[in-house]
Amino acid sequence: MIETLAREPSKREIASAQRRQHILEAAIACFIDNGFHQTGMRDIAARAEVSIGNLYNHFSGKHDFLIGVAMLEGELIAPFIERLAIDGPAYETFEAFLQDYWAIVSDKDVAILTAEITAEAMRVPDITALFLAVRQTLAEALSSLLIKGIEQRTWRFTGDTFHTAHFILDTIECAASRQAIDSTVSQAELAHLIEFLKASLGAKV
């Protein structure tokens, strides 16, 4: 039986992928600065410094940019999922996850982009499904960590860990969004949030 080896991408394919990524990053910058609906395809082409024809070779419309953002979010979440699965005390992994995830979602540009894209995604079913799939994958990984913590007798919590994982993510994201628009939110409040979430799990420590 002959095994089919994966073909290495050509230089042209690599260059095309890099150009597509560059255009997507330009679109994201436009969405952050001007809003999703206020941004036109020509605005993105100008920001990316490409012709409008070149732009359409990579993205047929703004719907395609939403797909691209969803894929980027999946790539952003992937390292978190890996870290949630590492061996070791669940409470240490949990606290490190809260701090690292907070650092990402509390960034002002991330908060603005999230608000812009979420509002639009809610109007477009296929885009909604893409973002929900990414979120579910993260919630499942966090749920597995919660189960590990229960098995390690770190937490007394015995409820539905998957739903709880979603509630934890909701809490972090909501608090982080407030930080993004309120510069008076301090690091001490993050520490309090971490203690609150650990206490909600019935931490024995």
Side-chain angles (χ1 to χ4, degrees), residues 81-96:
I81 293 172
E82 291 179 4
R83 284 177 233 159
L84 286 168
I86 63 173
D87 292 331
Y91 70 90
E92 291 182 0
T93 303
F94 183 66
E95 186 161 338

PDB file of all heavy atoms in Angstrom, residues 81-96:
ATOM      1  N   ILE A  81      -6.306  25.650  25.644  1.00  0.00           N
ATOM      2  CA  ILE A  81      -6.838  24.289  25.749  1.00  0.00           C
ATOM      3  C   ILE A  81      -5.718  23.312  26.097  1.00  0.00           C
ATOM      4  O   ILE A  81      -5.887  22.417  26.931  1.00  0.00           O
ATOM      5  CB  ILE A  81      -7.531  23.896  24.434  1.00  0.00           C
ATOM      6  CG1 ILE A  81      -8.785  24.761  24.240  1.00  0.00           C
ATOM      7  CG2 ILE A  81      -7.900  22.411  24.428  1.00  0.00           C
ATOM      8  CD1 ILE A  81      -9.450  24.602  22.901  1.00  0.00           C
ATOM      9  N   GLU A  82      -4.552  23.513  25.484  1.00  0.00           N
ATOM     10  CA  GLU A  82      -3.406  22.650  25.787  1.00  0.00           C
ATOM     11  C   GLU A  82      -2.978  22.811  27.243  1.00  0.00           C
ATOM     12  O   GLU A  82      -2.676  21.828  27.936  1.00  0.00           O
ATOM     13  CB  GLU A  82      -2.242  22.993  24.859  1.00  0.00           C
ATOM     14  CG  GLU A  82      -2.484  22.615  23.396  1.00  0.00           C
ATOM     15  CD  GLU A  82      -1.325  23.003  22.507  1.00  0.00           C
ATOM     16  OE1 GLU A  82      -0.300  23.495  23.050  1.00  0.00           O
ATOM     17  OE2 GLU A  82      -1.423  22.816  21.284  1.00  0.00           O
ATOM     18  N   ARG A  83      -2.942  24.054  27.728  1.00  0.00           N
ATOM     19  CA  ARG A  83      -2.501  24.306  29.105  1.00  0.00           C
ATOM     20  C   ARG A  83      -3.489  23.757  30.123  1.00  0.00           C
ATOM     21  O   ARG A  83      -3.096  23.323  31.204  1.00  0.00           O
ATOM     22  CB  ARG A  83      -2.320  25.815  29.328  1.00  0.00           C
ATOM     23  CG  ARG A  83      -1.047  26.370  28.708  1.00  0.00           C
ATOM     24  CD  ARG A  83      -0.956  27.866  28.901  1.00  0.00           C
ATOM     25  NE  ARG A  83      -0.736  28.525  27.623  1.00  0.00           N
ATOM     26  CZ  ARG A  83      -1.007  29.796  27.413  1.00  0.00           C
ATOM     27  NH1 ARG A  83      -1.531  30.538  28.361  1.00  0.00           N
ATOM     28  NH2 ARG A  83      -0.766  30.334  26.237  1.00  0.00           N
ATOM     29  N   LEU A  84      -4.770  23.782  29.794  1.00  0.00           N
ATOM     30  CA  LEU A  84      -5.773  23.252  30.719  1.00  0.00           C
ATOM     31  C   LEU A  84      -5.639  21.744  30.892  1.00  0.00           C
ATOM     32  O   LEU A  84      -6.111  21.192  31.890  1.00  0.00           O
ATOM     33  CB  LEU A  84      -7.183  23.594  30.225  1.00  0.00           C
ATOM     34  CG  LEU A  84      -7.614  25.050  30.404  1.00  0.00           C
ATOM     35  CD1 LEU A  84      -8.896  25.319  29.617  1.00  0.00           C
ATOM     36  CD2 LEU A  84      -7.816  25.383  31.874  1.00  0.00           C
ATOM     37  N   ALA A  85      -4.993  21.087  29.945  1.00  0.00           N
ATOM     38  CA  ALA A  85      -4.872  19.622  29.980  1.00  0.00           C
ATOM     39  C   ALA A  85      -3.550  19.138  30.572  1.00  0.00           C
ATOM     40  O   ALA A  85      -3.321  17.933  30.653  1.00  0.00           O
ATOM     41  CB  ALA A  85      -5.036  19.060  28.570  1.00  0.00           C
ATOM     42  N   ILE A  86      -2.694  20.059  31.010  1.00  0.00           N
ATOM     43  CA  ILE A  86      -1.386  19.636  31.515  1.00  0.00           C
ATOM     44  C   ILE A  86      -1.532  18.897  32.843  1.00  0.00           C
ATOM     45  O   ILE A  86      -2.505  19.094  33.580  1.00  0.00           O
ATOM     46  CB  ILE A  86      -0.429  20.830  31.692  1.00  0.00           C
ATOM     47  CG1 ILE A  86      -0.968  21.812  32.747  1.00  0.00           C
ATOM     48  CG2 ILE A  86      -0.191  21.532  30.374  1.00  0.00           C
ATOM     49  CD1 ILE A  86       0.000  22.923  33.082  1.00  0.00           C
ATOM     50  N   ASP A  87      -0.555  18.045  33.138  1.00  0.00           N
ATOM     51  CA  ASP A  87      -0.554  17.333  34.411  1.00  0.00           C
ATOM     52  C   ASP A  87      -0.199  18.299  35.537  1.00  0.00           C
ATOM     53  O   ASP A  87       0.488  19.293  35.332  1.00  0.00           O
ATOM     54  CB  ASP A  87       0.465  16.186  34.375  1.00  0.00           C
ATOM     55  CG  ASP A  87       0.049  15.082  33.416  1.00  0.00           C
ATOM     56  OD1 ASP A  87      -1.175  14.916  33.225  1.00  0.00           O
ATOM     57  OD2 ASP A  87       0.931  14.411  32.857  1.00  0.00           O
ATOM     58  N   GLY A  88      -0.659  17.966  36.719  1.00  0.00           N
ATOM     59  CA  GLY A  88      -0.350  18.791  37.879  1.00  0.00           C
ATOM     60  C   GLY A  88      -1.589  19.120  38.671  1.00  0.00           C
ATOM     61  O   GLY A  88      -2.711  18.761  38.282  1.00  0.00           O
ATOM     62  N   PRO A  89      -1.419  19.813  39.792  1.00  0.00           N
ATOM     63  CA  PRO A  89      -2.561  20.198  40.622  1.00  0.00           C
ATOM     64  C   PRO A  89      -3.543  21.063  39.841  1.00  0.00           C
ATOM     65  O   PRO A  89      -3.151  22.041  39.206  1.00  0.00           O
ATOM     66  CB  PRO A  89      -1.916  20.980  41.771  1.00  0.00           C
ATOM     67  CG  PRO A  89      -0.492  20.515  41.801  1.00  0.00           C
ATOM     68  CD  PRO A  89      -0.132  20.244  40.376  1.00  0.00           C
ATOM     69  N   ALA A  90      -4.811  20.696  39.906  1.00  0.00           N
ATOM     70  CA  ALA A  90      -5.829  21.427  39.147  1.00  0.00           C
ATOM     71  C   ALA A  90      -5.933  22.880  39.582  1.00  0.00           C
ATOM     72  O   ALA A  90      -6.143  23.760  38.751  1.00  0.00           O
ATOM     73  CB  ALA A  90      -7.181  20.735  39.305  1.00  0.00           C
ATOM     74  N   TYR A  91      -5.747  23.141  40.876  1.00  0.00           N
ATOM     75  CA  TYR A  91      -5.927  24.520  41.350  1.00  0.00           C
ATOM     76  C   TYR A  91      -4.845  25.440  40.789  1.00  0.00           C
ATOM     77  O   TYR A  91      -5.103  26.624  40.523  1.00  0.00           O
ATOM     78  CB  TYR A  91      -5.954  24.570  42.882  1.00  0.00           C
ATOM     79  CG  TYR A  91      -4.637  24.297  43.559  1.00  0.00           C
ATOM     80  CD1 TYR A  91      -3.738  25.326  43.847  1.00  0.00           C
ATOM     81  CD2 TYR A  91      -4.275  23.001  43.927  1.00  0.00           C
ATOM     82  CE1 TYR A  91      -2.528  25.069  44.470  1.00  0.00           C
ATOM     83  CE2 TYR A  91      -3.076  22.735  44.550  1.00  0.00           C
ATOM     84  CZ  TYR A  91      -2.197  23.771  44.818  1.00  0.00           C
ATOM     85  OH  TYR A  91      -0.998  23.513  45.428  1.00  0.00           O
ATOM     86  N   GLU A  92      -3.626  24.914  40.576  1.00  0.00           N
ATOM     87  CA  GLU A  92      -2.556  25.730  39.996  1.00  0.00           C
ATOM     88  C   GLU A  92      -2.857  26.032  38.529  1.00  0.00           C
ATOM     89  O   GLU A  92      -2.682  27.172  38.071  1.00  0.00           O
ATOM     90  CB  GLU A  92      -1.212  25.007  40.114  1.00  0.00           C
ATOM     91  CG  GLU A  92      -0.690  24.896  41.540  1.00  0.00           C
ATOM     92  CD  GLU A  92       0.674  24.223  41.595  1.00  0.00           C
ATOM     93  OE1 GLU A  92       1.205  23.851  40.523  1.00  0.00           O
ATOM     94  OE2 GLU A  92       1.210  24.076  42.716  1.00  0.00           O
ATOM     95  N   THR A  93      -3.297  25.024  37.797  1.00  0.00           N
ATOM     96  CA  THR A  93      -3.650  25.213  36.384  1.00  0.00           C
ATOM     97  C   THR A  93      -4.808  26.190  36.255  1.00  0.00           C
ATOM     98  O   THR A  93      -4.821  27.055  35.368  1.00  0.00           O
ATOM     99  CB  THR A  93      -4.030  23.863  35.744  1.00  0.00           C
ATOM    100  OG1 THR A  93      -2.946  22.945  35.890  1.00  0.00           O
ATOM    101  CG2 THR A  93      -4.347  24.032  34.267  1.00  0.00           C
ATOM    102  N   PHE A  94      -5.789  26.067  37.148  1.00  0.00           N
ATOM    103  CA  PHE A  94      -6.979  26.916  37.116  1.00  0.00           C
ATOM    104  C   PHE A  94      -6.601  28.378  37.333  1.00  0.00           C
ATOM    105  O   PHE A  94      -7.025  29.260  36.577  1.00  0.00           O
ATOM    106  CB  PHE A  94      -7.954  26.456  38.194  1.00  0.00           C
ATOM    107  CG  PHE A  94      -9.251  27.212  38.217  1.00  0.00           C
ATOM    108  CD1 PHE A  94     -10.150  27.137  37.163  1.00  0.00           C
ATOM    109  CD2 PHE A  94      -9.593  28.001  39.310  1.00  0.00           C
ATOM    110  CE1 PHE A  94     -11.353  27.821  37.193  1.00  0.00           C
ATOM    111  CE2 PHE A  94     -10.795  28.689  39.346  1.00  0.00           C
ATOM    112  CZ  PHE A  94     -11.678  28.602  38.285  1.00  0.00           C
ATOM    113  N   GLU A  95      -5.779  28.647  38.334  1.00  0.00           N
ATOM    114  CA  GLU A  95      -5.405  30.028  38.625  1.00  0.00           C
ATOM    115  C   GLU A  95      -4.566  30.617  37.488  1.00  0.00           C
ATOM    116  O   GLU A  95      -4.760  31.777  37.112  1.00  0.00           O
ATOM    117  CB  GLU A  95      -4.634  30.098  39.942  1.00  0.00           C
ATOM    118  CG  GLU A  95      -4.330  31.523  40.373  1.00  0.00           C
ATOM    119  CD  GLU A  95      -3.996  31.650  41.851  1.00  0.00           C
ATOM    120  OE1 GLU A  95      -4.382  30.750  42.625  1.00  0.00           O
ATOM    121  OE2 GLU A  95      -3.356  32.646  42.212  1.00  0.00           O
ATOM    122  N   ALA A  96      -3.649  29.829  36.940  1.00  0.00           N
ATOM    123  CA  ALA A  96      -2.830  30.311  35.822  1.00  0.00           C
ATOM    124  C   ALA A  96      -3.709  30.607  34.607  1.00  0.00           C
ATOM    125  O   ALA A  96      -3.501  31.608  33.901  1.00  0.00           O
ATOM    126  CB  ALA A  96      -1.765  29.279  35.472  1.00  0.00           C
TER     127      ALA A  96
END
